C-alpha cells in the first residue's frame, strides 16, 4: 500500500503511526476470523486509555495521549499509596513509578524531583538544589511530574533553541520572543503539546521584575521550576488532564461506528480500512476514530 506525502505527515503529526504499527504487530499471524475482533478490541483500549497498562516505557512515551492516560492511571493508584506517607525522596518516588511501568527511566522521576526541590540560597542565577536526599510531598512532586513529562518535548526544544548550549542560560532578550514562537510552531507541527506563550512570558517577566537590572537572563532549570510553581500552568495542566478523562468517558459513542465496521470486515478488507483511515478528516474507520479520540488538545 502506497501513501502520499500528505497522508504520511498526517499519520506522524497525530501519532497514528504509533497505533498502526502496534496494531499490525498484534495482528501478525492472526486468522482472518480473529483479525477484526482483535483490531476492534485494540481500538477500544486506546480510546478508553487502557492501552498503556503493563506496556514498556518506549510505547508510553511515544505519543501525547499515551502520556496523558498513563499519568491519569498512575495518579489514581499512587495517590492512595501516598496518602499513608508524609514525604518522599527521589528513590521513594521512583519506586512508586516502577510499580506502574517496570522500565520507566530514573531521569523521568529525577526531572520532576529536580523541578520541585527547594533551592538553596545563592547569589548566582544558576539554581543550587538541595539534593536527591530531600523529602517532598507527593502533591508537589506529582504537579512537577505532570509538567516535566507531558511537556518534555516542548521543554527540550525550548532549551535547544532559546538557551545557550553550555551554560543553559537564556539567550539575548531580543531573540527570546522569536525563539518561543519558533519552538511552538515546531512542537505543534510534530503533534506534541505546547506551553501557552502567556504562561512563559509571565514567568519571564517575574524573573525580570525580581532582578536588580531588570534582566531576563536566567537558567533553564529556573524556568522549569517556575513553570511547575506557576498557578496559571497548574490550571492549564488540570484542564488538560481533565479533558483526557472526559474523552475516555465519551469514547463509547465515538467508537460505535468504527467498531461496527471492524467487526464486519474480513481480513482482506483490512488494507482498505487502513488506506481510508489515513486520509485527513476521515473518522469512519480504524485510525480515523483513533484520531478523534486521541488527537491532543493540550
Amino acid at each position: 500500500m502506497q501513501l502520499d506525502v500528505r497522508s504520511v505527515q498526517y499519520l506522524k503529526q497525530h501519532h497514528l503511526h504509533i497505533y498502526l504499527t502496534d496494531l499490525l504487530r498484534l495482528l501478525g499471524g492472526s486468522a482472518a476470523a480473529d483479525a477484526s475482533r482483535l483490531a476492534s478490541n485494540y481500538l477500544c483500549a486506546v480510546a478508553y486509555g487502557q492501552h498503556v497498562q503493563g506496556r514498556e516505557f518506549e510505547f508510553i512515551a511515544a505519543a501525547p495521549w499515551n502520556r496523558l492516560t498513563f499519568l491519569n492511571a498512575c495518579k489514581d493508584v499512587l495517590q492512595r499509596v501516598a496518602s499513608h506517607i508524609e514525604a518522599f525522596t527521589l528513590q521513594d518516588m521512583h519506586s512508586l513509578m516502577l510499580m506502574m511501568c517496570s522500565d520507566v527511566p530514573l531521569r523521568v522521576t529525577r526531572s520532576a524531583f529536580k523541578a520541585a526541590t527547594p533551592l538553596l540560597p545563592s547569589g548566582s542565577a544558576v539554581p543550587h538544589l538541595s539534593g536527591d536526599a530531600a523529602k517532598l510531598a507527593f502533591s508537589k512532586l506529582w504537579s512537577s511530574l505532570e509538567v516535566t513529562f507531558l511537556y518534555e518535548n516542548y521543554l527540550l526544544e525550548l532549551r535547544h533553541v532559546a538557551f545557550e548550549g553550555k551554560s543553559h542560560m537564556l539567550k539575548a532578550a531580543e531573540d527570546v520572543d522569536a525563539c518561543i514562537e519558533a519552538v511552538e510552531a515546531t512542537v505543534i507541527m510534530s503533534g506534541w503539546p505546547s506551553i501557552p506563550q502567556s504562561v512563559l512570558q509571565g514567568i519571564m517577566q517575574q524573573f525580570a521584575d525580581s532582578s536588580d537590572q531588570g534582566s531576563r537572563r536566567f537558567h533553564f532549570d529556573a524556568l522549569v521550576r517556575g513553570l511547575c510553581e506557576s498557578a496559571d500552568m497548574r490550571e492549564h495542566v488540570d484542564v488538560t488532564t481533565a479533558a483526557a478523562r472526559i474523552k475516555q468517558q465519551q469514547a463509547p459513542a465515538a467508537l460505535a461506528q468504527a467498531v461496527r465496521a471492524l467487526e464486519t470486515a474480513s481480513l482482506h478488507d483490512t488494507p482498505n480500512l487502513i488506506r481510508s483511515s489515513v486520509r485527513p478528516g476521515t473518522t469512519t474507520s480504524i485510525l480515523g476514530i483513533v484520531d478523534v479520540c486521541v488527537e491532543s488538545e493540550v
Side-chain angles (χ1 to χ4, degrees):
M1 178 181 64
Q2 295 294 322
L3 298 178
D4 59 32
V5 173
R6 187 179 176 213
S7 293
V8 172
Q9 290 174 340
Y10 179 77
L11 278 172
K12 291 182 177 180
Q13 183 174 358
H14 297 284
H15 302 276
L16 299 181
H17 64 293
I18 301 296
Y19 305 110
L20 175 57
T21 301
D22 200 41
L23 175 58
L24 293 180
R25 180 184 60 81
L26 293 173
L27 290 177
S30 298
D34 295 331
S36 60
R37 177 181 57 81
L38 289 172
S40 63
N41 287 344
Y42 179 85
L43 177 60
C44 288
V46 172
Y48 279 114
Q50 298 172 346
H51 62 302
V52 295
Q53 297 176 5
R55 295 299 301 268
E56 66 282 2
F57 180 78
E58 182 180 5
F59 179 77
I60 291 170
W65 179 247
N66 294 4
R67 293 188 182 219
L68 267 170
T69 53
F70 174 71
L71 285 177
N72 279 340
C74 285
K75 188 174 183 179
D76 292 341
V77 173
L78 299 185
Q79 267 188 328
R80 294 194 291 270
V81 176
S83 64
H84 303 288
I85 304 173
E86 184 175 348
F88 295 83
T89 64
L90 170 64
Q91 290 299 332
D92 293 336
M93 186 65 181
H94 191 61
S95 295
L96 288 181
M97 294 299 295
L98 288 171
M99 291 171 53
M100 305 302 296
C101 175
S102 61
D103 66 340
V104 60
L106 180 60
R107 64 170 176 79
V108 173
T109 315
R110 177 170 279 129
S111 293
F113 198 86
K114 183 178 181 181
T117 303
L119 301 180
L120 293 175
S122 170
S124 169
V126 180
H128 291 264
L129 302 175
S130 56
D132 292 348
K135 288 194 171 186
L136 301 172
F138 176 81
S139 59
K140 187 174 182 65
L141 280 170
W142 194 259
S143 294
S144 293
L145 181 64
E146 287 181 322
V147 173
T148 57
F149 188 53
L150 284 179
Y151 301 93
E152 180 182 25
N153 287 276
Y154 179 93
L155 291 171
L156 289 174
E157 183 68 15
L158 182 67
R159 187 180 67 183
H160 173 71
V161 172
F163 288 78
E164 295 172 355
K166 292 184 178 180
S167 67
H168 288 174
M169 296 295 291
L170 190 69
K171 293 179 179 178
E174 59 269 18
D175 299 330
V176 171
D177 291 339
C179 286
I180 291 175
E181 290 179 2
V183 169
E184 183 174 272
T186 299
V187 172
I188 290 177
M189 181 62 66
S190 62
W192 288 97
S194 64
I195 293 171
Q197 287 192 32
S198 59
V199 174
L200 273 177
Q201 290 167 349
I203 293 173
M204 290 180 179
Q205 188 58 50
Q206 290 177 12
F207 282 124
D209 293 342
S210 62
S211 171
D212 293 338
Q213 292 80 29
S215 172
R216 294 176 74 185
R217 293 270 291 169
F218 50 85
H219 195 270
F220 176 76
D221 290 346
L223 174 65
V224 176
R225 189 171 186 273
L227 285 169
C228 293
E229 293 179 344
S230 167
D232 291 336
M233 188 65 197
R234 180 72 260 150
E235 180 181 359
H236 178 70
V237 172
D238 287 344
V239 168
T240 297
T241 54
R245 291 185 185 277
I246 291 173
K247 277 190 174 185
Q248 291 172 247
Q249 294 167 0
Q250 294 176 341
L255 282 167
Q257 185 177 11
V259 170
R260 282 197 299 271
L262 285 168
E263 288 178 344
T264 58
S266 69
L267 185 62
H268 297 294
D269 294 325
T270 302
N272 292 325
L273 280 170
I274 293 173
R275 183 180 292 108
S276 64
S277 299
V278 297
R279 292 173 185 161
T282 300
T283 60
T284 59
S285 51
I286 181 171
L287 293 180
I289 200 67
V290 172
D291 185 20
V292 171
C293 294
V294 309
E295 180 180 351
S296 177
E297 296 177 353
V298 295

